[in-house]
Amino acid sequence: MGDNRPIGIFDSGVGGLTVVKSLLEKLPQESFIYFGDTAHVPYGSKSEQELMRYAREIIAFLLDQDVKAIIVACGTHSSITLPRISEQYDIPLLGVVKAAASCAVKTTHNGKIGVVATRATVNSRAYTGEIQRLDSSLKVYETACPQFVPLVEAGKLEEEETREAVSEYLQPLLDLGIDSLVLGCTHYPFLTKVISDFTGEGIEVIDPSCKTVDQAIDIFSRQDLFNQQDQACFRKFYVSGNDESFYNVGRLLIGDTIKEVHKVRISKA
Ligand code: DGL
């Protein structure tokens, strides 16, 4: 039987494309609809109330497109809104926090885990809660990196200012002796090269996107949701704000999977 409907994916901007990259590798036969909420990027500085409104509007939009599941490809929504709303929908909704936490728990040897994420995510302590739920003996140090999202949205992946920001945010975590670093915002894996150059070989850098797609695979096999039809699948990209920058930077990040970007207005406010 299976299910040939698309998967819905969303983030504030290009960050969720890290999850798209993993999806293309692991589930190339699946159609998907990506929504980048570029009218509201960055999410890291938004209030819980604002984030709740955005989440509900985006999910309503994706449900209107008849998606079979939604991947919340955003650390901020996965930390703050997803735990409050996931039970309210009758399709699977999955985020990146659980995937990252289970990876970090398996990776660390010395029990000291660093998490870099947006300010809203760090304030929620969602990563610490999830990691310590799995192993309460672990120490978790969370740091907000507000410069990273604007740098990635501008396509500045290896510039000098990016290296400076990486050093400013990560040195204090290295001083604390972490051996694993969770990239707790989906934009950050696009900075992996600069981050790994800075942290060196002794630190495992964890990108939750791959594990998140593994969780989707698990749910799809349990609920018979894989696309089993031979017809060509489709990939659509929508944004709420700047479409040109999403197109240009998005193609820089994941190539010509992005053929066109549609600007839509979904907000009732
Ligand atoms: N990529 C998102 C996250 O993982 C949103 C970042 C932002 O817009 O501040 O948190």
Side-chain angles (χ1 to χ4, degrees), residues 11-12 15-16 41-45 73-77 118 121 149 184-187:
D11 180 44
S12 61
V41 64
Y43 277 160
S45 56
C74 170
T76 310
H77 274 298
T118 66
T121 300
V149 167
C185 164
T186 51
H187 280 75

Side-chain angles (χ1 to χ4, degrees), residues 111-124:
K112 293 182 182 175
I113 298 166
V115 177
V116 282
T118 66
R119 197 173 299 288
T121 300
V122 168
N123 288 343
S124 78

